[in-house]
Amino acid sequence: MLRVLAVDDEEPALEELLYLLRADPRVRAAEGATGATEALRRIGAALDAGPEGPGAVDVVFLDIHMAGLTGLDVARLLAGFAEPPLIVFVTAHEGFAVRAFDLKAVDYVLKPVRRERLAEAVRRVAELVGERSAVPGPGAAPGAAPVPGAPSAADQITVELGGVIRFVAVADIAYAEARGDYARLYTDTGSHLVRIPLSTLEERWRAHGFVRIHRRHLVALARIDELRLDAGAMSVRVGGAELPVSRRHARSLRDLLMRQRR
């Protein structure tokens, strides 16, 4: 049963495509996005949450000509992940087929969309999704071994900057600061606000060496330059920032740093 995201900046075309997709018994859920930025935001959140998380996407049915980023741009961005959703292009233009298949598209459906032609595209996607699920191990493509060092969704996080979706490597993040249901991520070049609670990031990034030092701060252990004690209060220096360490976390942090420096 497929989880589908359909993307088209023309709402009548999007509604028609969603109607046809939802009528196919192999489609569990079909949601729509009216532009590339919205689509990337949804896909990024789905990849961050994992394959069984809310809003998971198996395949994107993607228009090519859209305002701002094109469907081809979206496909190129998604190719940076080890396990991106599959892509089916749905377009009124024949001339992009070669580029579409260079980007590993599963199918290329021409508008106006015929029910039988769309059903064939869904069949191809369903077969590939079934093959993916039969291959053990994260990041393994159908019939292939995982690529050493390939980036995965867990190694990156999606952020939005000026209406543009970017992918930031977790390794580039020095620390994160709680902002209610949001978190602000600090890198060497700036900061980004994401709609993910700090407690969720703590759980996801534990394997990347992040530790909680305060109810407001999550820090990459390797980025701590100094541990300071002043009148019984502990703090750490991370780049140009000095961050407080709560009493609750002080002992465990000191032990971790001692083990790391041995």
Side-chain angles (χ1 to χ4, degrees), residues 2-255:
L2 301 174
R3 297 158 298 185
V4 177
L5 180 65
V7 188
D8 197 315
D9 62 353
E10 296 181 359
E11 289 198 23
L14 178 60
E15 290 301 319
E16 175 67 14
L17 180 57
L18 286 171
Y19 173 79
L20 294 173
L21 287 167
R22 288 166 180 163
D24 194 302
R26 292 163 295 195
V27 174
R28 180 201 304 182
E31 302 297 330
T34 55
T37 298
E38 180 187 353
L40 285 167
R41 186 186 299 113
R42 290 196 189 189
I43 295 165
L47 290 172
D48 288 341
E52 301 306 320
V57 178
D58 297 309
V59 57
V60 182
F61 283 76
L62 186 59
D63 190 19
I64 288 182
H65 276 297
M66 295 185 289
L69 292 175
T70 70
L72 296 171
D73 293 329
V74 173
R76 289 188 192 98
L77 286 168
L78 293 180
F81 288 100
E83 294 182 277
L86 299 172
I87 299 289
V88 173
F89 285 104
V90 182
T91 178
H93 304 275
E94 298 182 10
F96 295 97
V98 172
R99 271 186 275 176
F101 288 115
D102 283 344
L103 291 168
K104 312 300 182 187
V106 175
D107 210 339
Y108 192 90
V109 179
L110 289 174
K111 298 178 181 178
V113 178
R114 293 183 294 109
R115 186 186 299 270
E116 298 79 6
R117 181 65 185 86
L118 187 64
E120 172 61 17
V122 171
R123 182 193 65 78
R124 293 181 183 180
V125 170
E127 286 184 357
L128 286 174
V129 169
E131 290 174 10
R132 273 186 172 187
S133 63
V135 176
V147 179
S152 70
D155 298 323
Q156 304 180 68
I157 187 167
T158 54
V159 301
E160 185 177 353
L161 186 62
V164 177
I165 298 295
R166 300 180 187 277
F167 301 106
V168 175
V170 174
D172 291 339
I173 298 167
Y175 68 96
E177 183 178 54
R179 299 287 180 92
D181 290 335
Y182 292 73
R184 182 164 289 281
L185 313 178
Y186 290 85
T187 70
D188 293 336
T189 56
S191 68
H192 309 280
L193 191 66
V194 295
R195 193 172 184 176
I196 305 175
L198 198 67
S199 57
T200 301
L201 293 178
E202 179 184 8
E203 183 178 341
R204 292 181 189 169
W205 292 354
R206 189 173 290 117
H208 292 271
F210 280 77
V211 294
R212 193 72 170 259
I213 63 166
H214 191 275
R215 62 182 178 81
R216 292 188 57 203
H217 293 113
L218 181 68
V219 176
L221 198 63
R223 294 296 198 104
I224 295 176
D225 299 313
E226 290 180 1
L227 179 66
R228 299 179 177 180
L229 286 170
D230 184 12
M234 183 181 290
S235 63
V236 294
R237 187 172 61 81
V238 181
E242 185 170 349
L243 308 175
V245 179
S246 68
R247 292 182 181 273
R248 176 186 172 189
H249 297 97
R251 182 169 183 174
S252 60
L253 175 64
R254 186 168 50 198
D255 290 346

